[in-house]
Amino acid sequence: MRFSLLGPLVVQHGDRVVPLGGPKRRALLAALLFRANRPVSMSGLQAALWGGEPPATAVASLHNHVGRLRRALDTEDPLRLSVSPHGPLLRVDEGELDIQEFAELLSRAREARRRQDWQAVTRHTGAAMAMWRGQPLSDLPVLHTLEADVRHLCQAHLQALEWYFEAELQGGRHVDVTPELSRWAARHPLHEALHVLLITALYRCGRQAEALEVFETVRTALAEELGVDPGPALQAVHQQVLTADPVLLKEPPRVERRHGDTGSPKPVEPRGTASGAQQTSPAPRETDGPGSTVPAQLPLDTAAFTGRADALRQLREALERAASGGKPEVVAVTGMGGVGKSALAVHAAHMVRERFPDGQLHLDLRGHGSATARTVHELLATVLTDLGVPQPLPEETDGRAALLRSTLAGRRVLLVLDNARDSAQVLPLLPGTGASAVIVTSRNTLTDLPATSHLPLAPMDVEEQRALLSALCGSNRIERDLDGAVRILAACAGLPLALRIVGARLAARPAWPLAALADRLAPDGPGRLTALTAGRLGVRVTLAASYLALRDSESTGEREAARAFRLLGLWPGQTLGPADTAALLDRDPAQTEELLEQLVDAHLLQSPAPLRYRLHDLLAEYAAECVLAEEGEQEREAARLRMCVWYTLALENARLAIPEGGQLPPRLGEEPPALLPVFTDETQALTWCRQELANIGEAIRQAGELRRFDLAWRMAVWLLGYMRTSWWTGQWEAYLHQALDLTAQEDDRLGRAWLLRSLGACHGMCRRPDRAIRAFEEALVLFDDPESKAATLAYLSLAHGSAGHADQALAHARAAVELHRRTGGNRHRTAILLSTMADALRVSCHLDEADLRYREALGLWREHGDANGTAIVLSNHGDVLRALGRRDEAVAALHEALDTFRHLGNAALATETLVMLARTHAHFAEWPQARTRIDEGIDLADRHHLESWLSEARDVLATIESGVAGEV
């Protein structure tokens, strides 16, 4: 396992990235990694996750995060995270943690620098810099107590940079190193040591004028940002350039820091490894005579075996270790039916069969399929007989198992145990000592099998699929029909069995273009499972073997898991958790989690992240067939309805935890079909909405099919709280239109009014004021109650203001305030209307009055705790303060707004605020600051495809460039 902190936090197991979960769990892992192999107190971890003001639920939440992180890591490496009396302890072995390697490289560089071994300094610092992927933990929005650790790493990185460039200059490579040195100095405009080196490099390249220009740039930056003069080293090199001091061409530059050298992180002592005498391989067993034969039972190797490079490498390494006489190796290759477990096992066995001269045995254990599973007693008899053990064999199973271990102790034998049902079927067949190896394949995870290696086999990635299809039908055929090939790959969903069936069908039909088969695999064709059949090969039959083993089991728990599998076919293509699935299954969440984990163990369900589950595409299609065939219509509709009601009520809970304060839609008023999520703060609610957004869209669709239009429009409307910060993805608008189409089928006046007002808000956020106005005007006619009319009038005011209709904006704002005053509303709604009035006054150029209204509203917004709403008021107020010439107040307000939008992930309003900041700096002729902010705004708008904001930002950029040119 590999842990990487020098950039965004990443954990890898082989080539696979281990899913970690949200920011809190990532912060927990980072805190443990910074103190690897030592227990970390719960209070210290609590501070890392929440800082100095943890919530009341922090202790329980922390225990929950530790448990989930433990499960995520234990999946890859059992006992990786343990809990001691002094706190959790994360075990990290030598070579697994990048910051340990980074510290060790800097320690070696320091020692080489002391010896003036500049080649070694370059080598060690270059290797350290190559590990740097950017700001450590840049994926965590808030660092809390981890900030000191990150700062220490950044200082160590700067130290590595200094020593690297110093060594390069000592080696006379100033021409080669100058471009890279210039880039790093530009990234750290106040770092004097790098600029000392850059000035030296430029001077040695004969670029004296540029060297002097660099000094002036850094001198100005130090004066403006810190109010200090350059330090002695920078002044000294400047004087040497001015006087053309020949010493500067020979002697090393002084790169000591002004306030002393900041050392690198203290290297962590590497974990010791036990060592002992090297074991030799046992000699091959002599045959028993002329008539004896060595078993060679491996099936024919798979033709055109492709991909699986990492799994194949791990498997070969394990087999080679066993053959070299270390100890027996047992490798469990697990995965869903058709994923290629048997093909991988046989291919690897063929590659090393000569290393096992005492025999290669292959047994089909028949754990899954129509045939009866083979008994251990029978299997032991087969293996012992094949190995030439004299008859008769012991009558008892334990006696046979002991005899097999004795037989294998002095031999090098390779056993391939294919299609195991469970560990109990395999355990008696395993060697105890010697140099034999065993490959076990199974559709169950076999977590209790004492294997030296567990290789979970996932569906192939795109490149592996493309390579396999090319090998099966020829690359020229693919090149002639790339679109057909892409559609075939999508339909096969990474399953090698499906691709081999496709290859067989195409080979039998050489005149067919790929598109012809792709059409048959399309959703509107005869069905993928029907099309993916060729002779004895069939995806449906393969998948059915796993399902039927559960459905027809004598175990009640396994039959219940089979029911869960087929009911999941009612909710295709989505990633679910125990809470929502509990509603689908009509079970409690704890029982539901057990059933889901059981399906994961049987490889009928995937778990892309802890406590998150989804069906593979082809399994989803098979589950849909099963639920249609085995569950009545009444039960199917009841299960779907439970999900729709659950998501509606869960979304209400999430919206109520977001202190947006606007008028709330009418509550549903039905009993929840399963336990609902409880949100203690806005961040939890927003995270849940982001995670469940696709499921909410599916619930809206299914509510329409069930003709529960009241559920559909409520879900779309209740999303407003979340979509205030994430509307720009376009999903909310699609859901609103979807629900609008549904309400039209039943003439739902109230639902339509709420949807139109929400759609108007969406148009307003997207800067489509004309369409927003039309939607709000339609909604205003449909609403009957004064509170709803007042809120809609406020929205109309904002839309007219965005359209530049100052008079209409002011008129609607006043009408909204007057109606609110007559009906009497809460203080937060008052804040909304005061902000709306201030916005209208701003558009109407009544800036002093707008300033007063913004200040009045801001106090109410802060009192309510609505972060996004507060930030919107701050940004608009900052723009008014700019126009009033109050520079410091404007910049302070805009900076606070920007920090909030960034924290909430509101990319659009963060972009808008950056543009406002740039405009403010330009207004006061602060051109460098204006340019920095507008560049940030353009980058953010470009990354999130915010075309309207991008256009505005470029207009402001043109103004800034014009201003700079005018001053020059």
Side-chain angles (χ1 to χ4, degrees):
M1 195 171 285
R2 177 71 174 174
F3 300 94
S4 302
L5 287 167
L6 299 176
L9 177 57
V10 176
V11 179
Q12 288 180 282
H13 187 69
D15 291 336
R16 195 174 72 80
V17 176
V18 179
L20 298 174
K24 287 287 186 284
R25 209 164 308 147
R26 302 174 79 83
L28 168 64
L29 178 58
L32 293 168
L33 285 171
F34 276 120
R35 288 143 191 86
N37 300 315
R38 290 178 290 165
V40 185
S41 69
M42 296 299 279
S43 60
L45 294 176
Q46 188 172 299
L49 269 64
W50 290 283
E53 298 182 0
T57 59
V59 174
S61 181
L62 179 55
H63 281 288
N64 185 37
H65 284 304
V66 169
R68 292 187 175 184
L69 179 60
R70 190 178 188 178
R71 285 196 293 273
L73 296 178
D74 280 0
T75 300
E76 313 298 341
D77 184 356
L79 304 180
R80 172 68 70 169
L81 176 59
S82 59
V83 179
S84 73
H86 304 290
L89 182 150
L90 181 66
R91 175 176 60 79
V92 175
D93 295 331
E94 184 176 359
E96 289 188 326
L97 181 57
D98 62 348
I99 60 173
Q100 291 180 354
E101 292 185 40
F102 186 79
E104 178 61 27
L105 287 167
L106 256 63
S107 177
R108 294 175 187 172
R110 179 185 288 106
E111 178 59 27
R113 185 172 182 264
R114 187 187 62 77
R115 302 191 311 268
Q116 295 191 1
D117 182 353
W118 300 113
Q119 287 187 347
V121 173
T122 296
R123 185 170 63 255
H124 296 319
T125 55
M129 289 159 57
M131 300 174 66
W132 190 264
R133 297 177 293 109
Q135 179 79 3
L137 301 185
S138 57
D139 53 330
L140 294 187
V142 182
L143 290 172
H144 296 303
T145 56
L146 300 177
E147 185 174 356
D149 295 299
V150 169
R151 191 184 309 114
H152 190 48
L153 288 175
C154 292
Q155 290 292 332
H157 180 241
L158 282 173
Q159 184 70 85
L161 286 170
E162 291 174 24
W163 289 349
Y164 172 78
F165 290 123
E166 179 188 20
E168 290 291 89
L169 293 183
Q170 288 285 0
R173 291 179 289 277
H174 43 271
V175 174
D176 296 333
V177 84
T178 296
E180 186 180 1
L181 178 53
S182 298
R183 286 193 294 272
W184 281 109
R187 292 184 193 179
H188 300 279
L190 303 179
H191 196 79
E192 295 185 45
L194 286 176
H195 287 84
V196 168
L197 292 164
L198 177 58
I199 291 169
T200 303
L202 289 169
Y203 181 76
R204 290 182 179 179
C205 292
R207 297 156 66 178
Q208 182 178 12
E210 292 176 63
L212 293 172
E213 186 179 346
V214 168
F215 174 80
E216 286 301 318
T217 300
V218 70
R219 183 189 63 78
T220 302
L222 289 167
E224 290 183 351
E225 298 294 329
L226 303 179
V228 298
D229 292 326
L234 198 54
Q235 292 189 29
V237 76
H238 177 233
Q239 187 63 31
Q240 286 179 296
V241 174
L242 286 173
T243 59
D245 189 345
V247 173
L248 192 58
L249 297 173
K250 304 174 184 176
E251 295 185 1
R254 294 171 55 199
V255 296
E256 288 75 11
R257 299 185 184 183
R258 183 183 300 197
H259 300 295
D261 190 18
T262 301
S264 61
K266 181 181 178 181
V268 178
E269 290 297 324
R271 293 172 56 90
T273 54
S275 61
Q278 183 178 0
Q279 297 184 7
T280 59
S281 304
R285 180 180 65 88
E286 294 183 3
T287 59
D288 295 327
S292 64
T293 58
V294 172
Q297 300 173 356
L298 295 179
L300 182 67
D301 198 1
T302 303
F305 185 91
T306 305
R308 305 300 194 192
D310 185 58
L312 188 60
R313 175 185 55 78
Q314 294 181 60
L315 187 49
R316 278 195 66 177
E317 288 175 354
L319 300 178
E320 294 280 3
R321 283 196 302 270
S324 297
K327 60 180 181 179
E329 294 280 341
V330 179
V331 183
V333 181
T334 58
M336 64 180 288
V339 82
K341 304 178 295 296
S342 299
L344 173 68
V346 170
H347 185 66
H350 273 286
M351 296 176 77
V352 297
R353 66 180 184 273
E354 293 181 358
R355 299 297 306 276
F356 296 92
D358 297 322
Q360 310 96 42
L361 279 67
H362 180 276
L363 293 93
D364 181 0
L365 276 56
R366 299 201 295 259
H368 296 86
S370 57
T372 304
R374 299 178 70 177
T375 66
V376 172
H377 196 73
E378 172 203 351
L379 290 167
L380 285 166
T382 300
V383 174
L384 288 167
T385 301
D386 290 345
L387 290 175
V389 175
Q391 305 292 322
L393 301 176
E395 288 296 326
E396 294 185 355
T397 303
D398 289 346
R400 292 183 178 186
L403 180 58
L404 177 60
R405 290 193 293 272
S406 298
T407 303
L408 293 176
R411 306 190 191 190
R412 278 186 292 181
V413 175
L414 175 60
L415 288 85
V416 179
L417 306 179
D418 198 19
N419 195 13
R421 173 65 191 267
D422 52 31
S423 297
Q425 195 184 19
V426 173
L427 280 169
L429 301 169
L430 302 183
T433 57
S436 293
V438 182
I439 307 174
V440 184
T441 73
S442 178
R443 300 188 187 193
N444 289 323
T445 55
L446 305 182
T447 52
D448 55 341
L449 186 72
T452 50
S453 301
H454 281 272
L455 289 181
L457 213 56
M460 284 181 155
D461 61 34
V462 174
E463 290 306 316
E464 287 180 322
Q465 294 178 64
R466 193 192 310 275
L468 179 54
L469 188 60
S470 297
L472 292 170
C473 68
S475 56
N476 291 337
R477 200 168 178 184
I478 290 176
E479 290 296 328
R480 290 196 299 268
D481 191 357
L482 287 175
D483 177 70
V486 168
R487 289 194 287 142
I488 285 173
L489 295 182
C492 292
L495 218 58
L497 172 63
L499 284 165
R500 291 193 175 277
I501 291 171
V502 164
R505 296 193 68 179
L506 289 172
R509 298 161 180 82
W512 275 29
L514 270 61
L517 185 54
D519 291 341
R520 296 182 64 81
L521 295 171
D524 54 353
R528 282 187 293 178
L529 297 182
T530 299
L532 289 173
T533 304
R536 296 176 58 191
L537 295 177
V539 170
R540 181 185 283 109
V541 173
T542 300
L543 300 181
S546 298
Y547 167 69
L548 295 175
L550 295 178
R551 191 199 68 179
D552 301 336
S553 170
E554 296 180 0
S555 163
T556 303
E558 291 189 343
R559 292 197 302 273
E560 184 74 5
R563 172 185 176 269
F565 170 77
R566 58 180 177 265
L567 286 179
L568 285 168
L570 297 171
W571 211 259
Q574 305 301 329
T575 301
L576 301 169
D580 42 10
T581 310
L584 182 73
L585 304 184
D586 198 19
R587 299 290 186 267
D588 66 74
Q591 183 183 8
T592 299
E593 182 180 338
E594 290 180 8
L595 292 171
L596 294 173
E597 288 293 332
Q598 193 172 347
L599 290 173
V600 171
D601 287 342
H603 285 99
L604 283 168
L605 194 62
Q606 297 173 330
S607 182
L611 298 180
R612 301 296 293 169
Y613 307 91
R614 68 177 176 222
L615 286 168
H616 180 274
D617 281 1
L618 293 171
L619 277 169
E621 193 168 314
Y622 178 67
E625 288 184 359
C626 292
V627 76
L628 191 63
E630 300 178 39
E631 299 287 344
E633 182 179 359
Q634 185 176 356
E635 173 54 30
R636 295 198 304 270
E637 293 206 355
R640 294 166 65 201
L641 182 58
R642 288 194 298 269
M643 284 288 271
C644 294
V645 170
W646 188 89
Y647 270 108
T648 304
L649 296 174
L651 197 50
E652 287 182 4
N653 278 9
R655 172 65 179 81
L656 293 172
I658 301 171
E660 186 266 333
Q663 184 191 14
L664 295 176
R667 303 288 296 273
L668 180 61
E670 293 188 22
E671 286 297 316
L675 194 65
L676 295 173
V678 177
F679 306 103
T680 58
D681 56 33
E682 180 178 6
T683 300
Q684 282 187 353
L686 292 173
T687 300
W688 180 86
C689 288
R690 186 177 300 111
Q691 176 179 271
E692 298 294 340
L693 195 57
N695 282 315
I696 292 167
E698 178 65 16
I700 292 172
R701 185 189 71 80
Q702 297 219 25
E705 288 186 353
L706 295 168
R707 301 196 66 77
R708 282 297 303 269
F709 306 128
D710 59 322
L711 301 178
W713 73 255
R714 278 181 168 84
M715 282 185 274
V717 170
W718 281 102
L719 270 172
L720 172 61
Y722 167 68
M723 283 300 176
R724 285 195 313 156
T725 60
S726 303
W727 57 267
W728 46 271
T729 61
Q731 288 165 297
W732 188 37
E733 185 175 356
Y735 293 165
L736 289 169
H737 279 295
Q738 184 180 351
L740 266 171
D741 292 341
L742 294 173
T743 56
Q745 298 180 32
E746 198 171 273
D747 193 24
D748 186 338
R749 179 185 177 92
L750 179 63
R752 192 165 185 80
W754 276 98
L755 286 168
L756 283 167
R757 197 170 82 183
S758 299
L759 185 60
C762 183
H763 286 318
M765 293 172 183
C766 296
R767 293 188 170 183
R768 300 192 290 254
D770 294 340
R771 293 164 70 179
I773 290 168
R774 288 196 297 272
F776 289 139
E777 287 176 343
E778 283 189 63
L780 189 63
V781 173
L782 294 171
F783 279 121
D784 296 321
D785 63 293
E787 182 183 353
S788 297
K789 285 186 175 292
T792 310
L793 285 167
Y795 276 122
L796 265 171
S797 173
L798 293 173
H800 279 294
S802 295
H805 309 153
D807 293 341
Q808 294 97 317
L810 205 51
H812 283 99
R814 285 172 175 154
V817 170
E818 176 59 26
L819 191 55
H820 173 72
R821 186 187 61 78
R822 291 204 308 267
T823 57
N826 61 40
R827 288 170 63 81
H828 194 211
R829 207 151 301 136
T830 302
I832 293 172
L833 294 173
L834 280 172
S835 304
T836 303
M837 177 62 76
D839 291 337
L841 290 166
R842 176 167 66 99
V843 173
S844 304
C845 296
H846 297 84
L847 299 183
D848 289 319
E849 191 177 353
D851 174 33
L852 293 174
R853 292 289 175 267
Y854 278 131
R855 291 179 187 278
E856 189 178 352
L858 196 56
L860 295 176
W861 282 101
R862 291 190 191 278
E863 176 186 306
H864 188 71
D866 184 337
N868 193 72
T870 302
I872 291 173
V873 174
L874 281 167
S875 62
N876 291 336
H877 190 202
D879 202 43
V880 167
L881 292 168
R882 170 195 60 79
L884 290 172
R886 286 144 65 175
R887 184 262 181 204
D888 292 346
E889 292 178 77
V891 170
L894 291 169
H895 272 293
E896 184 180 348
L898 179 60
D899 290 343
T900 301
F901 289 138
R902 281 175 166 167
H903 176 72
L904 294 173
N906 193 333
L909 292 188
T911 301
E912 184 173 295
T913 307
L914 284 166
V915 173
M916 286 183 173
L917 264 171
R919 189 184 292 118
T920 299
H921 285 302
H923 183 86
F924 296 100
E926 298 168 352
W927 307 116
Q929 296 96 316
R931 181 58 188 258
T932 297
R933 289 307 184 184
I934 204 62
D935 285 345
E936 291 178 28
I938 289 173
D939 178 65
L940 192 58
D942 189 48
R943 277 191 283 123
H944 293 286
H945 311 291
L946 300 168
E947 295 303 326
S948 177
W949 282 261
L950 192 58
S951 175
E952 181 182 349
R954 285 170 175 158
D955 290 343
V956 174
L957 175 61
T959 301
I960 293 168
E961 290 176 340
S962 176
V964 172
E967 286 204 350
V968 173

